[in-house]
Amino acid sequence: MANQDHIRNPIEWTADQIKTAGLAVGQAGHALRSHEEGGELNLPAVRRITVADLGDVLAKGLDDFGACRTDVIFLCIVYPLAGLLMAWSAFNYDIVPLLFPLASGFALVGPIAAVGLYEMSRRREQGADANWAHAFGVLATPAFGAILVLGLVLFGIFLLWLVTAYTIYHVTMGHEGGASLGAFYHDVFTTSEGGALIVVGVGVGFLFALLVLTISVVSFPMLLDRDVGLYTAVATSVRAVLANPVPMAVWGLIVAGGLLFGSLPLLLGLIVVMPVLGHATWHLYRAVVPR
């Protein structure tokens, strides 16, 4: 019989995670359409909330961050590193016009990166231990296949946003990328073409962000919390946004403002902003979808 006190080395731990992920992917068919969706579909109830409730949601997110601070900082240091890598790529490959779309794209793929944080909040809510290793518990959830598919959808939306943003730049400014940062800044903020770029780019970017918010704000936490399929999770997320248009719009502004604030000092603020928003999103799900 195996010794329960045996401390696994990193190789054993990694092998276990890969094995768990393999089993979870094998359950993708079940995850995409759970047994509850085989007949008449009964979507979960959706509760109406107020803007004032968002303060409580953020307070709970801060509390989770404070309780798991060391672990989430360890996990979330990858966010500024990834952002800096993308910025370096933009400079290195002369695609400076994509700097802002890349930075704002954090809002589009943020729900994917926050799944592990949802799991930590879920465990802490249940009174269980919650550390960085438990964030990988998402690999063992029956809905991992659905989470993976929805994550790929968001990544596809992110890539479409980059293509769209670059096309808008080309149409409004009338030339390809390759300009220096100084020249790009001058063209955008001192010319009428630059003004058109800002107006159209921000407007289209808002539509992309609205789409992602609508399909993901509830769906990712719900897939972790309940044995439902992808359709049920996304449909419930859409209904939650439609039932709470003003609070959800304010939440979207909070997320966008937080990411902007966290991106200013070389993206280092994301180490704190991302986990707080991630934990808070779990509690927003709890506020909107009753148990």
Side-chain angles (χ1 to χ4, degrees):
M1 183 173 66
N3 182 2
Q4 294 182 348
D5 295 328
H6 171 64
I7 300 176
R8 295 177 298 169
N9 60 50
I11 295 177
E12 291 176 320
W13 183 87
T14 302
D16 285 346
Q17 299 306 316
I18 294 174
K19 180 180 178 181
T20 301
L23 293 174
V25 171
Q27 297 173 330
H30 164 79
L32 293 177
R33 189 173 182 84
S34 74
H35 65 277
E36 295 178 357
E37 298 175 10
E40 183 178 354
L41 184 64
N42 294 315
L43 296 177
V46 170
R47 181 187 292 129
R48 293 183 182 274
I49 62 173
T50 67
V51 173
D53 293 322
L54 299 180
D56 182 59
V57 163
L58 286 170
K60 291 178 178 178
L62 282 168
D63 185 60
D64 283 352
F65 173 72
C68 309
R69 183 170 55 250
T70 302
D71 293 284
V72 296
I73 287 176
F74 172 75
L75 280 176
C76 296
I77 196 171
V78 67
Y79 301 144
L81 292 179
L84 291 173
L85 178 61
M86 289 190 294
W88 175 84
S89 299
F91 281 110
N92 194 53
Y93 291 98
D94 293 328
I95 49 176
V96 171
L98 286 182
L99 276 175
F100 176 76
L102 284 169
S104 59
F106 273 112
L108 303 181
V109 296
I112 307 171
V115 170
L117 299 170
Y118 304 156
E119 174 65 11
M120 293 175 71
S121 287
R122 186 186 71 85
R123 289 182 59 87
R124 186 163 183 261
E125 184 181 81
Q126 296 175 343
D129 291 336
N131 57 47
W132 69 269
H134 292 127
F136 294 94
V138 298
L139 300 176
T141 181
F144 178 72
I147 292 173
L148 184 63
V149 170
L150 186 55
L152 290 174
V153 170
L154 294 195
F155 187 70
I157 293 174
F158 170 69
L159 294 180
L160 180 60
W161 158 241
L162 293 183
V163 172
T164 303
Y166 196 76
T167 301
I168 292 172
Y169 173 80
H170 178 65
V171 170
T172 56
M173 303 302 291
H175 55 79
E176 299 287 348
S180 66
L181 183 60
F184 174 74
Y185 177 87
H186 177 272
D187 290 344
V188 170
F189 292 102
T190 64
T191 66
S192 58
E193 292 84 358
L197 171 65
I198 293 173
V199 172
V200 176
V202 171
V204 174
F206 168 79
L207 296 178
F208 274 91
L210 178 62
L211 172 62
V212 169
L213 175 72
T214 302
I215 68 175
S216 69
V217 66
V218 163
S219 54
F220 278 111
M222 189 174 187
L223 288 169
L224 283 175
D225 188 46
R226 303 188 182 192
D227 184 15
V228 298
L230 181 59
Y231 176 82
T232 296
V234 173
T236 304
S237 187
V238 172
R239 290 172 58 242
V241 172
L242 292 178
N244 300 281
V246 175
M248 287 299 182
V250 174
W251 179 250
L253 291 175
I254 290 173
V255 171
L259 293 177
L260 176 62
F261 178 77
S263 299
L264 293 179
L266 295 176
L267 305 178
L268 294 178
L270 294 176
I271 298 175
V272 174
V273 171
M274 284 293 290
V276 171
L277 292 176
H279 289 307
T281 299
W282 170 264
H283 295 289
L284 178 62
Y285 156 70
R286 278 289 188 229
V288 175
V289 182
R291 289 185 179 87

